[in-house]
Amino acid sequence: MSGGAPAASPAAVRRVDPRAVLAGLAAPVLALIIAILVTSLVLVVASDPVGKVWETLLLVDATDAQRSRAVVNMLNSATTYYFAALAVAVGFRMNLFNIGVEGQYRLAAFCAAYVGAAVSLPAPLHVALIVVVAMAVGAMWAGVAALLKATRGVSEVISTIMLNSIATALVAFLLRTAAGDQGTSLNLSTDQLPASGRVPGIELGFLDTPIRMYGLVVLAAVAGLAYWLLLERTRFGFDLRATGMSESAAVASGVNVKKMVVAAMLISGAVAGLVGIPALVGEDPYAYTLTFQSGLGFTGIAIALLGRNSPIGIAIGALLWAYLDVAANRLQIQAGVSNEIVTIMQGTIVLSVVVAYELVRRYRVVSEQRRVAAADPLAAGGGPVGGGGPSGGAGAPQGEPA
């Protein structure tokens, strides 16, 4: 039946494969089942009410005002989480672990607040300047790790972790200097942004709450679209993904790996610089203070893993993460469990996703090998191709960089 070969036209290759669709759905369903089972087991071990916890999580019991406030808070948290995860995902796509998002966004937010408060411009230009300063500082700080890796071979994991510590100390020093005589040692802050440097929130008419959604949620959507276009529709994105899958193969095809490392880290740092900006320009006190939110960089790593580095997956992961954050207080009040149970749930979900996708990937590889063997017994047997021939070789490393 050699006549089957010519039928493999591009249109046929792109035809929807039901087995691929089922395999794609199997991973998140399996992850959900694993997460529910493991979390329930943890609750049983901790002697917490399992049924009450799931009932509180899934059946929201609150007044309309409380529910509306929770929804807006969730959307605002998800916006900042989205930027953080997107920054991490850029590095992940070429096997770069940018652990330094934490330091990059905090230093970027401080510099953006300081510059934004010091200048006077028309509203659109003022906000644009704040955004550009944040992206430039984030890229500059990530660029240090990029140059160390490209020129000296220093692991970006080590260098970005150290840069996080340096950034934290540097911001504390600069904040004390910038604050001058205002405030107290327990309430240091930069000057407030003028009205032209602020972005009005978006009022959600169907939610009865005075809290508004961050105006820069639009920028988050634009960043997600730009990320997808850059990685999936440009030569640069192809080279970046190829380098992440096989550095040696990328070199053989003419890709300058060192240049790609620097470029990827700069882009990752620039996106990281945006993490703190929605809160800075979108809510009181419109300044960088000692209480500016920390830990978003590490949350971004978990959400990037959860979202499989996909812009849509990251958005879903950010919303889920924010929902669990908002639910923490309700769990404590209504189910009588500690806030830490939410942290355990979040970690369990991330591990479940990693495990489930790996199990499904292995199943797909084995299934594909069996299918090829059934279609061409000669190749699957002791023929010249063997078990890991060209077709098998293409299937084995198919998994995306996690």
Side-chain angles (χ1 to χ4, degrees):
M1 299 294 290
S2 58
S9 64
V13 171
R14 292 178 184 175
R15 195 169 49 196
V16 176
D17 184 354
R19 288 176 303 181
V21 174
L22 287 176
L25 293 174
V29 171
L30 181 60
L32 187 64
I33 293 172
I34 294 175
I36 291 174
L37 290 177
V38 173
T39 303
S40 298
L41 181 62
V42 171
L43 290 171
V44 170
V45 171
S47 301
D48 285 327
V50 180
K52 185 66 178 176
V53 168
W54 290 116
E55 179 186 341
T56 305
L57 273 177
L58 301 177
L59 302 176
V60 178
D61 182 18
T63 64
D64 288 342
Q66 289 173 328
R67 193 180 301 122
S68 299
R69 188 184 184 91
V71 169
V72 176
N73 284 333
M74 182 185 74
L75 293 174
N76 285 342
S77 295
T79 301
T80 55
Y81 291 162
Y82 190 73
F83 280 124
L86 214 57
V88 175
V90 172
F92 276 174
R93 292 304 295 266
M94 67 169 293
N95 279 344
L96 279 176
F97 291 86
N98 182 10
I99 313 294
V101 170
E102 180 74 17
Q104 289 153 21
Y105 91 79
R106 293 182 70 176
L107 187 60
F110 169 82
C111 293
Y114 184 81
V115 173
V119 302
S120 178
L121 289 170
L125 293 177
H126 202 156
V127 175
L129 175 68
I130 291 171
V131 169
V132 169
V133 168
M135 294 181 72
V137 172
M140 178 203 71
W141 203 244
V144 176
L147 289 176
L148 287 173
K149 183 175 181 64
T151 60
R152 298 296 177 189
V154 178
S155 167
E156 76 280 5
V157 175
I158 303 299
S159 59
T160 50
I161 288 175
M162 299 307 294
L163 285 168
N164 279 345
S165 299
I166 295 172
T168 301
L170 184 59
V171 168
F173 170 76
L174 293 174
L175 185 58
R176 192 177 301 113
T177 304
D181 296 331
Q182 62 178 330
T184 66
S185 59
L186 297 178
N187 189 28
L188 297 176
S189 74
T190 60
D191 292 334
Q192 272 196 330
L193 296 175
S196 59
R198 304 174 186 178
V199 177
I202 300 174
E203 187 173 355
L204 301 177
F206 60 95
L207 294 176
D208 182 21
T209 173
I211 303 178
R212 295 183 174 187
M213 190 168 64
Y214 289 150
L216 286 192
V217 69
V218 177
L219 183 61
V222 171
L225 178 62
Y227 167 85
W228 180 80
L229 288 173
L230 178 69
L231 290 183
E232 305 294 339
R233 290 292 184 270
T234 67
R235 172 58 190 267
F236 173 83
F238 176 81
D239 289 347
L240 189 143
R241 288 184 286 118
T243 307
M245 288 183 177
S246 173
E247 186 175 319
S248 57
V251 171
S253 62
V255 176
N256 186 331
V257 173
K258 289 184 178 180
K259 182 180 174 183
M260 295 304 298
V261 167
V262 174
M265 284 297 286
L266 289 178
I267 295 172
S268 178
V271 178
L274 296 173
V275 173
I277 302 306
L280 177 66
V281 302
E283 67 181 10
D284 192 51
Y286 300 103
Y288 189 97
T289 69
L290 275 179
T291 57
F292 201 82
Q293 189 172 5
S294 61
L296 296 176
F298 301 112
T299 301
I301 296 173
I303 295 176
L305 289 171
L306 193 59
R308 302 289 295 170
N309 303 324
S310 151
I312 300 297
I314 289 173
I316 295 172
L319 286 171
L320 175 62
W321 208 268
Y323 173 77
L324 291 175
D325 280 348
V326 170
N329 289 335
R330 208 169 63 245
L331 280 175
Q332 189 174 22
I333 295 171
Q334 297 180 15
V337 300
S338 64
N339 286 335
E340 284 69 25
I341 198 68
V342 169
T343 306
I344 293 173
M345 284 182 179
Q346 290 169 334
T348 301
I349 290 171
V350 173
L351 288 176
S352 300
V353 168
V354 173
V355 170
Y357 273 90
E358 179 60 19
L359 289 176
V360 171
R361 188 190 70 81
R362 292 188 181 190
Y363 171 79
R364 291 177 67 176
V365 170
V366 172
S367 176
E368 183 68 14
Q369 288 174 341
R370 287 177 178 169
R371 190 181 67 82
V372 171
D376 190 355
L378 183 62
V385 177
S391 60
Q398 188 67 28
E400 298 176 6

